[in-house]
């Protein structure tokens, strides 16, 4: 289980900054902005009617040139759609269209040229069918001057465009409505995702601290009974303590893993990630369920059966394991359904809670190194990687671009409930797991030092994490849904709060190096005095 936990931490580190809500507005600094060509790239809804009956809705992208497309459906006109003649509209149409929207194919001429010909023919708009499935950005060239275009232009992907083309060539009457609705400032999905992340760390921290306290209580009991105790990993068997070297290596290896995900991203590779995620999810869900059920089924937990390749396994684990496997398999099979996010979140939360319970930050020094490296890693792969790869590697991997998936499985996600564009709000495992290791350390320290909630560090670190994640979503909405490196905001809040409080209370050095309060040994055994010298004060002091 420890090996699975370490590997899960690695996967989480690889996706430590994928807080996103789906792009709608694109501010492109590379495409030239010149007079008459200054629009932002926006997604556009193309609602169609066939023979007067409402039909399919398609999604395209608006052009850099032309007027801005209205944002509200009620302000958008329903206009007849007409095939251009010639179909590519690279020269003036043969007939006037008197206010219709022209449907044209990509062709070999410039987008602006098509729009000018369509406008001169009397069209009220132009819909261009791309020759590939992807959407291009319709831009202007630097030396263009005739950009007084007064009709909107929309580019549709090939499948959507040819669907309209087929209906038109069949002789049906088609009309369309073009509009680009705005995303709400705050979606309910982000609120629930925030509660999910904070609640996961809260549960994981209490479980981690409780496990350590139980182990220490057992040691105290054995010491009082005069038995010999061998302490391993701070008295908590089965746990893995991170050191400074491993904290740095985590980020290095996570970078290599992220590049591999980026380069190999395809349908078969996502299937491999799904299998790996299911294995980790089964382990996490099983561990959590066994811990929850152990209170009511203590005899089943303490009775063991020898299983080949696995050794001694409790009857409770054997009873829970089939359910966990079936749950993970059912999610994998139905992961393309709209409700599959529920199963993914359950498996993901169980895995995160289990990893935080097994993998530990032993002191503030290691926690600072781990989160500082993750902070730099996050910024690099979300922002700086664009210079070498021409796109944000972290966001591309998180969204599952180049595949038919809605993203890789190492994410928590909730569908956007009141967003007209749909999609999901997502957060990477690393944005919960890595800060969670530090928060769990704070609670273990508080319990060991017998601190109250107000005088301890856990409450403040939880508030710091919640505030940092909240600022992440504020930035996400201010940036029109562009993916944000969550640790850019979470790490300064969480780590800064613990360091500042420790320094103010004079406990920073102890937290930094030892990671636990000073202890006074209450089990020192004095050597008995000789009977004939029991009354001698000098001999007694020497003894």
């Amino acid at each position: 289980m420890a090996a699975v936990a370490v590997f899960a931490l690695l996967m989480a580190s690889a996706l430590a900054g994928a807080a996103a809500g789906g792009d709608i507005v694109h501010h492109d600094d590379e495409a030239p902005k010149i007079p008459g060509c200054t629009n932002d790239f926006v997604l556009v809804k193309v609602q169609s009617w066939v023979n007067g009956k409402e039909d399919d809705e398609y999604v395209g992208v608006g052009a850099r040139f032309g007027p801005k497309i209205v944002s509200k459906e009620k302000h958008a006109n329903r206009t007849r759609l007409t095939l251009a003649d010639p179909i590519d509209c690279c020269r003036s149409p043969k007939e006037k269209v008197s206010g219709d929207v022209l449907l044209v194919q990509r062709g070999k001429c410039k987008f602006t040229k098509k729009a000018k010909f369509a406008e001169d023919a009397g069209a009220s708009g132009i819909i261009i069918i791309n020759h590939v499935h992807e959407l291009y950005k319709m831009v202007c060239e630097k030396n263009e001057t005739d950009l007084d275009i007064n009709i909107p232009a929309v580019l549709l992907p090939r499948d959507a465009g040819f669907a309209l083309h087929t209906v038109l060539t069949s002789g049906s009457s088609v009309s369309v409505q073009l509009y680009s609705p705005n995303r709400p400032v705050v979606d309910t999905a982000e609120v629930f995702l925030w509660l999910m992340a904070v609640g996961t760390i809260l549960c994981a921290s209490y479980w981690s601290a409780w496990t350590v306290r139980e182990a220490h209580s057992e040691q105290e009991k054995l010491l009082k009974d005069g038995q010999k105790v061998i302490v391993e990993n701070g008295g908590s068997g089965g746990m893995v303590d991170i050191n400074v070297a491993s904290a740095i290596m985590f980020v290095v290896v996570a970078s290599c893993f992220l590049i591999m995900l980026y380069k190999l991203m395809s349908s078969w590779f996502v299937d491999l990630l799904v299998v790996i995620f299911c294995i980790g999810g089964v382990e996490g869900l099983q561990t959590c369920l066994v811990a929850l059920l152990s209170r009511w089924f203590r005899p089943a937990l303490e009775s063991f059966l020898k299983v080949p390749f696995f050794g001694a396994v409790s009857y409770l684990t054997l009873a829970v394991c089939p359910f966990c496997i079936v749950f993970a398999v059912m999610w994998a099979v139905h992961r393309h359904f709209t409700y599959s996010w529920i199963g993914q979140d359950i498996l993901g939360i169980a895995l995160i809670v289990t990893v935080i319970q097994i993998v530990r930050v032993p002191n503030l020094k290691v926690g600072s190194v781990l989160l500082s490296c993750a902070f730099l890693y996050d910024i690099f792969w979300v922002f700086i990687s664009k210079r070498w790869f021409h796109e944000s590697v972290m966001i591309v991997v998180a969204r599952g671009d180049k595949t038919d998936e809605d993203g890789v499985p190492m994410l928590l996600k909730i569908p956007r409930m009141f967003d007209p564009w749909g999609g999901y709000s997502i957060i990477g495992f690393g944005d919960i797991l890595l800060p969670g290791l530090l928060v769990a350390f704070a609670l273990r320290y508080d319990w060991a030092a017998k601190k109250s909630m107000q005088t301890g560090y856990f409450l403040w670190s939880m508030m710091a994490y919640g505030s940092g994640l909240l600022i992440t979503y504020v930035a996400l909405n201010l940036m029109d849904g562009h993916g944000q490196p969550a640790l850019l905001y979470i790490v300064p809040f969480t780590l800064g709060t613990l360091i500042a409080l420790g320094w103010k209370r004079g406990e920073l050095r102890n937290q930094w190096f030892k990671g636990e309060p000073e202890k006074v040994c209450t089990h020192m055994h004095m050597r008995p005095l000789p009977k004939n010298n029991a009354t001698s004060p000098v001999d007694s002091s020497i003894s």
Side-chain angles (χ1 to χ4, degrees):
M1 184 62 199
V4 174
V6 172
F7 185 72
L9 181 60
L10 173 63
M11 290 198 304
S13 300
L15 286 174
D23 295 343
I24 287 184
V25 181
H26 300 266
H27 305 279
D28 194 331
D29 296 328
E30 296 179 3
K33 276 191 175 184
I34 55 180
C37 193
T38 58
N39 294 339
D40 292 321
F41 296 107
V42 296
L43 295 179
V44 180
K45 288 182 179 288
V46 181
Q47 177 64 58
S48 65
W49 285 263
V50 179
N51 296 326
K53 295 182 179 180
E54 186 172 332
D55 202 65
D56 294 332
E57 183 181 77
Y58 308 97
V59 176
V61 64
R64 180 76 96 188
F65 52 85
K68 292 185 178 180
I69 298 172
V70 297
S71 60
K72 293 186 177 181
E73 184 179 3
K74 64 181 180 180
H75 295 156
N77 296 322
R78 187 192 300 184
T79 311
R80 191 175 68 173
L81 184 67
T82 303
L83 276 177
D85 185 14
I87 190 62
D88 60 1
C89 203
C90 286
R91 60 181 187 273
S92 182
K94 296 178 181 179
E95 298 181 359
K96 295 293 183 179
V97 292
S98 62
D100 293 352
V101 173
L102 279 184
L103 181 68
V104 308
Q105 292 185 5
R106 174 68 181 88
K108 296 183 178 180
C109 58
K110 295 184 293 187
F111 293 116
T112 52
K113 187 175 182 179
K114 294 175 185 291
K116 287 295 294 182
F117 280 134
E119 184 179 8
D120 292 341
S124 61
I126 182 172
I127 297 177
I128 303 171
I129 305 172
N130 203 11
H131 58 276
V132 294
H133 294 290
E134 290 78 18
L135 289 172
Y136 290 158
K137 295 176 180 178
M138 295 189 288
V139 300
C140 312
E141 296 182 0
K142 292 182 179 180
N143 57 356
E144 287 193 75
T145 55
D146 188 15
L147 293 174
D148 185 19
I149 300 172
N150 298 303
I151 62 171
V154 177
L155 183 69
L156 285 182
R158 185 176 64 182
D159 292 346
F162 276 108
L164 285 175
H165 183 275
T166 301
V167 176
L168 278 174
T169 54
S170 68
S172 300
S173 173
V174 181
S175 56
V176 293
Q177 190 179 37
L178 309 178
Y179 62 104
S180 179
N182 296 321
R183 162 182 284 131
V185 177
V186 178
D187 191 88
T188 311
E190 294 170 357
V191 177
F192 283 112
L193 203 59
W194 184 89
L195 292 172
M196 190 184 298
V198 172
T200 299
I201 290 183
L202 184 67
C203 296
S205 299
Y206 268 96
W207 189 12
S208 175
W210 177 82
T211 303
V212 172
R213 186 167 69 175
E214 288 292 305
H216 285 169
S217 298
E218 187 67 23
Q219 288 180 37
E220 292 287 329
K221 182 179 178 181
L222 293 174
L223 285 171
K224 288 180 180 179
D225 294 340
Q227 299 183 31
K228 184 178 180 180
V229 179
I230 299 176
V231 180
E232 296 179 357
N233 293 329
S236 303
M239 293 188 178
V240 179
D241 280 352
I242 303 175
N243 55 35
V244 172
S246 61
I248 297 173
M249 282 304 300
F250 263 125
V251 177
V252 175
V253 177
S255 296
C256 298
F257 187 65
L258 183 63
I259 294 176
M260 182 180 69
L261 289 174
Y262 177 74
K263 293 295 185 182
L264 299 178
M265 186 59 66
S266 59
S267 296
W268 71 267
F269 194 72
V270 171
D271 290 339
L272 177 61
L273 292 178
V274 167
V275 172
I276 295 173
F277 173 71
C278 285
I279 294 173
V282 167
E283 290 279 1
L285 188 59
Q286 174 184 285
T287 304
C288 292
L289 289 178
V290 168
L292 288 173
L293 297 174
S294 61
R295 287 175 171 264
W296 297 280
F297 301 95
R298 178 66 62 178
L301 180 67
E302 296 175 349
S303 302
F304 295 89
L305 179 68
K306 190 171 183 180
V307 179
F309 305 108
F310 294 98
V313 180
S314 70
Y315 283 99
L316 182 58
T317 301
L318 289 175
V320 168
C321 186
F323 167 78
C324 298
I325 294 174
V326 170
F327 186 89
V329 171
M330 291 296 292
W331 168 81
V333 172
H334 298 92
R335 70 182 186 276
H336 296 293
F337 286 68
T338 54
Y339 54 79
S340 65
W341 62 273
I342 300 173
Q344 179 172 324
D345 289 351
I346 291 173
L347 291 172
I349 290 173
L351 181 59
I352 292 172
V353 170
T354 302
V355 173
I356 293 179
Q357 194 270 334
I358 293 175
V359 180
R360 299 193 313 175
V361 169
N363 53 51
L364 193 54
K365 177 182 177 181
V366 173
S368 298
V369 172
L370 178 64
L371 288 187
S372 297
C373 290
F375 173 82
L376 298 175
Y377 165 91
D378 216 1
I379 295 174
F380 179 85
W381 288 112
V382 173
F383 290 143
I384 304 177
S385 62
K386 293 180 181 179
R387 296 186 179 181
W388 287 276
F389 299 93
H390 307 293
E391 56 188 352
S392 174
V393 173
M394 181 83 75
I395 301 302
V396 167
V397 172
R399 290 191 309 220
D401 292 0
K402 305 175 186 176
T403 71
D404 295 329
E405 305 282 340
D406 288 325
V408 294
M410 288 82 74
L411 303 164
L412 298 185
K413 64 180 186 179
I414 296 181
R416 299 181 64 84
M417 302 174 188
F418 300 103
D419 193 328
W421 296 101
Y424 292 89
S425 290
I426 62 175
I427 183 170
F429 283 0
D431 300 327
I432 304 173
L433 206 160
L434 295 175
L437 294 174
L438 190 66
V439 175
F441 160 77
L443 183 59
R444 291 196 303 269
Y445 186 91
D446 286 355
W447 283 13
K450 294 180 173 55
K451 290 181 176 290
S452 66
M453 192 65 72
Q454 291 77 15
T455 60
Y457 295 89
F458 173 70
L459 175 63
W460 301 105
S461 61
M462 279 298 304
M463 292 174 61
Y465 175 79
S467 300
L469 187 57
L470 181 63
I471 296 298
T472 301
Y473 285 114
V474 171
L476 186 66
N477 285 288
L478 291 177
M479 295 297 289
D480 298 302
H482 283 242
Q484 289 294 298
L487 295 182
L488 171 65
Y489 310 97
I490 293 173
V491 170
F493 272 81
T494 309
L495 189 59
T497 298
L498 281 180
I499 292 176
L501 277 177
W503 176 77
K504 182 179 179 181
R505 296 171 178 177
E507 299 176 330
L508 180 59
R509 182 178 180 83
N510 202 41
Q511 287 181 318
W512 188 266
F513 293 105
K514 294 185 63 178
E516 57 184 18
E518 295 289 346
K519 291 183 179 180
V520 179
C521 184
T522 59
H523 304 287
M524 293 181 63
H525 297 281
M526 301 299 293
R527 197 170 53 184
L529 296 173
K531 290 183 179 180
N532 57 350
N533 293 329
T535 57
S536 172
V538 177
D539 289 345
S540 175
S541 63
I542 293 174
S543 300

